[in-house]
Amino acid sequence: MEFYHKLDTVMSHFSKSGGFLTVKSGDKVNTMTISWGFIGFLWGKPHFITLVRPTRYTHTLLETADSFTVSVPFGTKASELSFCGSSSGATVDKSRTVTFISSKNVESPIVEGCDMYYECKIDYRETMKDSLIPKSILETMYKNDLHDIYIGEIVNCY
């Protein structure tokens, strides 16, 4: 598996317009828009690292899930990304806006019609500690709502 395939294109689109972070826990599925994340090599395997605030509905699902997926469109889903980034899955059924399809190796589905997919098995999760974050970042990026960090082994990408 070449997890670095099209990585420059993926990160360019991801950082500018975002991607879909999708998780399934039990019979519940939700996706949200993310544009903060890292792809790299950790513990001898490729991993995707993402950040999710505890106030997000997706966070609730991630806490009991064993996987997540990241679906990255290359410019074809601006309205869907906007909707999924501004609406909570706790009150809105996002499957009316995006179509979820089964992934190949994990429980969490992918979002149909994207250009790159990462299927990830959760290896680690931790709450950020404000004492370890530079004051300038805390003041500009956080207001008592630190992210939790999720590290997922990339078990498939295509």
Side-chain angles (χ1 to χ4, degrees), residues 19-33:
F20 298 99
L21 173 69
T22 308
V23 62
K24 179 178 181 182
S25 179
D27 62 348
K28 296 182 179 175
V29 175
N30 191 54
T31 194
M32 66 179 278
T33 301

Side-chain angles (χ1 to χ4, degrees), residues 21-123:
L21 173 69
T22 308
V23 62
K24 179 178 181 182
S25 179
D27 62 348
K28 296 182 179 175
V29 175
N30 191 54
T31 194
M32 66 179 278
T33 301
I34 59 170
S35 59
W36 289 6
F38 307 88
I39 296 171
F41 204 70
L42 178 67
W43 303 320
K45 298 176 182 176
H47 281 80
F48 194 105
I49 302 170
T50 191
L51 307 167
V52 180
R53 295 177 197 270
T55 54
R56 304 294 186 240
Y57 178 65
T58 300
H59 182 277
T60 303
L61 299 181
L62 278 166
E63 285 300 291
T64 56
D66 64 356
S67 67
F68 63 84
T69 64
V70 178
S71 305
V72 182
F74 294 172
T76 58
K77 296 212 173 269
S79 64
E80 293 94 333
L81 285 164
S82 178
F83 176 79
C84 290
S86 61
S87 302
S88 173
T91 58
V92 174
D93 180 2
K94 293 183 185 176
S95 69
R96 293 180 168 199
T97 301
V98 297
T99 301
F100 298 117
I101 56 176
S102 295
S103 58
K104 297 176 181 179
N105 293 89
V106 298
E107 182 88 11
S108 295
I110 56 175
V111 174
E112 184 177 53
C114 292
D115 298 286
M116 195 66 173
Y117 299 101
Y118 298 92
E119 299 183 13
C120 304
K121 179 181 67 75
I122 298 172
D123 279 345

Side-chain angles (χ1 to χ4, degrees), residues 126-144:
E126 181 168 325
T127 300
M128 296 174 78
K129 295 171 183 59
D130 59 0
S131 63
L132 300 177
I133 301 171
K135 186 177 179 180
S136 62
I137 293 174
L138 276 174
E139 290 173 350
T140 59
M141 299 301 213
Y142 296 102
K143 296 188 182 2
N144 299 318

